[in-house]
Amino acid sequence: MDIYSLIRRITSVRSPRLRLAMLWAAHVARRRTIGVFIDPVVACNLRCRMCAFSDAAQRKRLTGRMDDEAISRAARALFHRALKVQIGCGAEPTIDPRMPRIIALAKEYKVPYVSVTTNGQLLSPSLLADCIAAGLDEVTLSLHGTDRDTYEWFMPGADFTRLESLVVTLRNAKKDRPALKVRVNYTVNADNVESLAGIFSLFGGDVIDILQIRPVQNLGDTSYHNFDLGPVRQAYDRVLGAVARKAAALGVTCIMPGLQELDMVAAPRSCFEKTFEEITYCYVGPQSCYADGFDACTDTYESFHRRRRTSRTLLRSLFSLRPDTDVGNNRTKKLNYTVRK
């Protein structure tokens, strides 16, 4: 499944009411509509400056491990309705040796797209081979610099030499399994925007399939505090625009905000957007599963939404909500991105 073509088709529908109607139709038809984002272990081997794990107080709070039965329960309840399962959301999945088993479990439920999001420092050739054998569709690599100084400063504990070795590992893996997708997530800020220009010098033109460039956001307690996007705005065409043009020439899908969208962080959500996100976004971790009121021990996706009368709520929303109605202080950290090919 080309999940990014699906995203392009959905986001090309400009009417939020029509998108909600499409979700209602898929929901009542029992089609796959959700993305499951799972952190089997909440921990990390690095202390990236833009991440909560860089803060000592946050690290004490960010702990926990799902036992095998909890993972199995979540899979039984949700995976049959998932378009995508992503392992690694707010934590590092490669520190958990069960990662290949979770990938295989998702494939047992015929999930079309299974992804792993990682900083890559522990992703050895043997571990990657095990993940691919289990059915992995995509590796998403998070990094915040393409030169040694920038990379290691933003990602304390990381070794740039290991990153260079990982690039070779990914290149070799794609030769053996051409269907494997490699996505790079680059969080851009005032202090690493110039380093972004070297992305294809580091990876070449044959490793990256999808490149996501996202502006830094103030997520709370982190050791990085420069959220001024002025330098990013000034360098937009020279750096971000040039990278996007290079990506297009190489056939790389580029997901990035337009110049006018850089400041659309934590923007108020419309009621349509809030409803869409609450139903389709499913986080699973040691402390939570899907949504308030969802009982991971007894609920399934269907029983939860029957109890919530979701189908009726969606249908009523189609006719009662106004697209421009926001929900007060309920804000999303998601941005408006343009998916370019």
Side-chain angles (χ1 to χ4, degrees), residues 118-262:
T118 174
N119 58 50
Q121 289 287 295
L122 301 177
L123 190 58
S124 65
S126 60
L127 177 57
L128 179 57
D130 289 343
C131 291
I132 291 172
L136 182 67
D137 296 292
E138 178 186 78
V139 175
T140 298
L141 180 64
S142 298
L143 77 158
H144 312 307
T146 67
D147 61 277
R148 183 180 296 275
D149 289 345
T150 305
Y151 178 80
E152 293 184 352
W153 188 84
F154 271 103
M155 304 177 71
D159 182 342
F160 189 75
T161 301
R162 281 202 292 269
L163 174 62
E164 292 176 315
S165 297
L166 177 60
V167 172
V168 175
T169 296
L170 292 170
R171 179 175 289 116
N172 291 337
K174 286 174 64 67
K175 289 177 182 176
D176 294 336
R177 186 173 186 269
L180 178 70
K181 300 297 184 185
V182 173
R183 169 172 167 163
V184 171
N185 285 355
Y186 193 102
T187 301
V188 67
N189 58 47
D191 297 301
N192 71 358
V193 62
E194 298 297 336
S195 186
L196 172 62
I199 191 77
F200 291 112
S201 296
L202 174 62
F203 285 91
D206 60 341
V207 175
I208 302 176
D209 298 287
I210 305 100
L211 173 63
Q212 179 174 14
I213 304 169
R214 57 185 307 159
V216 64
Q217 301 179 56
N218 186 350
L219 299 179
D221 295 323
T222 66
S223 64
Y224 185 76
H225 302 110
N226 187 359
F227 304 110
D228 178 15
L229 292 175
V232 177
R233 204 174 294 109
Q234 292 171 12
Y236 187 91
D237 188 64
R238 179 173 56 83
V239 178
L240 281 77
V243 168
R245 289 188 289 272
K246 180 67 172 178
L250 293 171
V252 173
T253 297
C254 190
I255 306 171
M256 60 183 285
L259 181 59
Q260 303 305 316
E261 297 165 335
L262 283 177

